[in-house]
Amino acid sequence: MGQTNITSWGGFVFLGFSSFGELQLLLFAIFLSLYLITLASNVFIIVVIRLDSQLHTPMYLFLSYLSFSETCYTLGIIPRMLFGLALGDQAISYVGCAAQMFFSASWACTNCFLLAVMGFDRYVAICAPLHYASRMHPTFCAQLVGTSFLSGYFFGLGMTLVIFHLRFCSSHEIQHFFCDTPPVLSLACGDAGLSELGILILSLLVLLVSFSLITISYSYILAAVLKIPSAKGQKKAFSTCASHLTVVIVHYGCASFMYLRPKASYCLERDQLIAVTYTVVTPLLSPIVYSLRNRAVKAALKNAFQRLVGKG
């Protein structure tokens, strides 16, 4: 089996949770609970923003698309993971693995670009408030969202093609719980140095370009806020950015650790823990953070809940 050509065999086997034995059912219950909460939270955010006219602004439009993107990202990974934990079937076809990598990478990249767009929105709101309505008009916002989605698909396709043009013959066992680029790349035959370099370059383009845009936006925001004479005014300005900054730090911290490293530094146990955080916990973070720290969202959620209870 050690030298089986995986392309002819037609599939892979996940070994990510194989060492947990009987604890797999407990993991299934925990991950299922977290996933249902994540799914419900993101869908609820989208619906509330859609129905509440007071939230029909660019800031909340971008938040709704981020929730949509996070939901799609988890749909490509977690249901398959839960299926494997519940039934013990950890096999995935070659085509299925490529599809899972494409969709997960595409939505992960889309999240990065949407976070950069949200940072730009905060920059315009704080640094040019009198021109906010004219600059962030609906057509321009739609273009920003569309560009984020198309860019995500482009980079996701590039990463998938870089990996799946290789031959896999060292093993068909993926030391992970989904078809992520580092563990799949480690199964390639021969020298995969060019492919590793290609993944690193694509990851750098996505993470550094989007994070650089966020950094530039917040540099201007910081300069503008420091010019506000009152401490109360500074606090109010920073509070509008706190939720976004919290999500950015967690998102880019995990993503950078996972993808901006050479293959030699991979560690199964540590990488799985980071991957679980990135795929299960981080998508739950956005709706929770925005719900707890944003007064408008909290008020809209409260009103929606009251209407729901009243109808019940």
Side-chain angles (χ1 to χ4, degrees):
M1 183 178 296
Q3 298 298 322
T4 302
N5 188 318
I6 194 64
T7 306
S8 61
W9 180 82
F12 299 93
V13 176
F14 297 124
L15 296 183
F17 297 113
S18 59
S19 61
F20 286 87
E22 296 180 355
L23 291 177
Q24 290 189 32
L25 288 179
L26 176 61
L27 290 176
F28 169 80
I30 294 173
F31 291 148
L32 177 61
S33 300
L34 289 174
Y35 179 56
L36 291 177
I37 295 172
T38 300
L39 195 62
S41 300
N42 279 297
V43 170
F44 200 44
I45 286 285
I46 294 170
V47 172
V48 166
I49 292 174
R50 175 78 174 178
L51 296 180
D52 195 318
S53 58
Q54 294 184 352
L55 300 181
H56 291 177
T57 63
M59 174 182 175
Y60 300 110
L61 168 72
F62 298 140
L63 174 59
S64 67
Y65 279 110
L66 179 64
S67 293
F68 174 75
S69 181
E70 294 277 24
T71 300
C72 292
Y73 173 73
T74 59
L75 281 172
I77 299 174
I78 299 180
R80 178 62 188 82
M81 179 185 73
L82 293 172
F83 177 81
L85 285 171
L87 301 181
D89 182 4
Q90 299 291 356
I92 187 171
S93 68
Y94 181 83
V95 174
C97 186
Q100 187 181 56
M101 181 179 293
F102 167 69
F103 285 111
S104 61
S106 296
W107 290 113
C109 294
T110 299
N111 291 342
C112 291
F113 294 125
L114 286 174
L115 287 171
V117 167
M118 294 173 75
F120 175 74
D121 172 72
R122 291 299 82 207
Y123 153 73
V124 177
I126 294 175
C127 298
L130 298 179
H131 302 284
Y132 183 78
S134 60
R135 291 187 181 183
M136 302 302 293
H137 54 83
T139 302
F140 181 59
C141 292
Q143 290 172 345
L144 289 175
V145 172
T147 301
S148 298
F149 277 67
L150 290 175
S151 299
Y153 294 150
F154 171 79
F155 282 102
L157 179 62
M159 291 180 182
T160 305
L161 292 177
V162 166
I163 296 292
F164 280 90
H165 85 282
L166 298 169
R167 292 178 65 251
F168 301 94
C169 55
S170 61
S171 173
H172 68 263
E173 297 174 338
I174 299 177
Q175 301 291 336
H176 208 42
F177 58 87
F178 75 101
C179 290
D180 202 5
T181 50
V184 176
L185 180 61
S186 67
L187 302 182
C189 293
D191 184 12
L194 286 178
S195 293
E196 184 180 349
L197 179 62
I199 291 296
L200 181 61
I201 291 173
L202 289 172
S203 299
L204 281 170
L205 284 173
V206 173
L207 294 174
L208 292 188
V209 169
S210 57
F211 188 73
S212 296
L213 292 174
I214 294 173
T215 303
I216 293 171
S217 295
Y218 275 100
S219 297
Y220 282 105
I221 290 172
L222 179 61
V225 170
L226 291 178
K227 293 178 182 179
I228 298 176
S230 68
K232 184 178 180 180
Q234 291 180 351
K235 183 178 180 180
K236 182 178 179 181
F238 275 126
S239 67
T240 65
C241 305
S243 300
H244 179 250
L245 277 175
T246 302
V247 175
V248 165
I249 291 170
V250 176
H251 180 89
Y252 281 90
C254 292
S256 298
F257 183 84
M258 287 298 298
Y259 301 109
L260 300 185
R261 296 177 299 144
K263 186 171 67 173
S265 66
Y266 297 158
C267 172
L268 173 61
E269 292 80 9
R270 180 190 60 196
D271 290 359
Q272 281 192 179
L273 178 61
I274 297 296
V276 167
T277 302
Y278 191 67
T279 57
V280 179
V281 179
T282 302
L284 178 59
L285 181 66
S286 297
I288 289 179
V289 168
Y290 276 96
S291 298
L292 293 178
R293 296 193 61 89
N294 190 287
R295 291 183 180 179
V297 174
K298 283 195 292 186
L301 289 171
K302 182 179 179 180
N303 292 335
F305 182 75
Q306 288 175 345
R307 288 197 297 266
L308 185 64
V309 172
K311 291 181 179 180

